Amino acid sequence: MKRKKDISSLQYSNCLSGEELLKYKTGTLSESLRKRIFHHLNVDNCKRCRDIILLIEPDIPPPDMGIRKEHTERIKRKPIIRKKRKAPKLIESGQIWTVNIPEDENILPPVLVIDPGSGERSGENIIRVMPLSFDTEFQVENETLLLDRSNPLGYPVLVEIFNERPMIAEHLDECRGKITRKQSEIINTSRSRFI
């Protein structure tokens, strides 16, 4: 099941207004803006904007669809404030953590701790983790395991059992909670079968 985005979501910050889409459809835009909109519709494949452009007719005003250009501009200007959670004293097996590697430009997925090493969050402690994937439709028996929305993240994720790896403990960012004992047992059983 695909989650619906909130209309104030930052994921809409690159979306277009109904007026812009109407001008695109009628051909009354500069070449650079036409290229940007074409890219947004066909390369980024924005479902929201593609749905709107199909509804637009030159003599009918564009639909509101719950988002206005001034609203998206306000979202773009608004700073993102992250409230840090209090970190536990020790790293434990079964905890789900977000990851922060400063030199890495990519957004890294959260991880599930399998072996906490010494339990310290330091550069000397090497732990073992399994990345968590948002592509929940790619389940493979004994290689991945689906955690439903009852996990500490609050949305379904796949545990990548096949992708277990070492990691420096100081790269853990924020602990989101711990999976249940039953979930840990299922993961350990699948891990044993995979190995």
Side-chain angles (χ1 to χ4, degrees):
M1 185 176 98
K2 197 167 184 180
R3 290 182 297 149
K4 287 188 176 180
K5 296 177 191 170
D6 185 290
I7 62 162
S8 62
S9 169
L10 285 172
Q11 293 172 340
Y12 282 141
S13 59
N14 292 326
C15 281
L16 307 156
S17 68
E19 291 90 29
E20 288 173 315
L21 290 169
L22 176 61
K23 288 178 182 175
Y24 175 80
K25 195 167 187 175
T26 57
T28 56
L29 287 174
S30 68
E31 188 177 335
S32 62
L33 190 51
R34 280 192 67 75
K35 284 181 182 176
R36 186 177 72 81
I37 293 174
F38 177 85
H39 189 276
H40 182 72
L41 293 171
N42 299 295
V43 178
D44 296 340
N45 203 18
C46 175
K47 179 166 176 22
R48 176 199 167 268
C49 292
R50 288 171 68 94
D51 288 345
I52 292 174
I53 203 160
L54 291 174
L55 298 172
I56 293 175
E57 292 298 328
D59 52 346
I60 301 171
D64 186 357
M65 298 295 279
I67 190 164
R68 292 183 177 81
K69 187 175 181 179
E70 57 269 11
H71 186 67
T72 58
E73 291 300 319
R74 189 172 70 241
I75 292 170
K76 288 177 189 176
R77 288 191 305 269
K78 191 174 183 180
I80 298 171
I81 299 168
R82 287 187 60 217
K83 186 177 178 184
K84 278 278 198 185
R85 298 168 188 241
K86 188 174 180 187
K89 290 183 181 179
L90 291 175
I91 302 166
E92 297 177 16
S93 292
Q95 289 176 335
I96 293 178
W97 288 77
T98 57
V99 177
N100 182 17
I101 301 178
E103 65 274 7
D104 198 317
E105 298 279 323
N106 301 317
I107 296 174
L108 299 169
V111 295
L112 173 68
V113 176
I114 299 301
D115 180 358
S118 68
E120 300 292 322
R121 248 173 98 191
S122 67
E124 293 80 39
N125 184 22
I126 305 296
I127 62 175
R128 294 203 63 82
V129 298
M130 291 178 181
L132 302 178
S133 169
F134 308 116
D135 295 326
T136 55
E137 64 273 9
F138 297 110
Q139 295 182 58
V140 178
E141 191 175 345
N142 294 327
E143 291 188 24
T144 62
L145 180 76
L146 179 68
L147 295 179
D148 64 17
R149 64 179 65 247
S150 65
N151 76 73
L153 293 171
Y155 46 85
V157 289
L158 272 187
V159 179
E160 294 183 351
I161 295 166
F162 70 92
N163 200 10
E164 182 180 331
R165 59 182 60 192
M167 179 179 163
I168 299 171
E170 72 179 349
H171 291 159
L172 295 175
D173 187 32
E174 207 172 31
C175 182
R176 294 304 179 96
K178 197 170 179 179
I179 60 174
T180 65
R181 182 183 305 241
K182 184 178 179 183
Q183 289 169 330
S184 287
E185 288 170 3
I186 294 169
I187 289 168
N188 286 330
T189 302
S190 295
R191 179 177 181 244
S192 299
R193 285 185 188 144
F194 182 76
I195 292 170

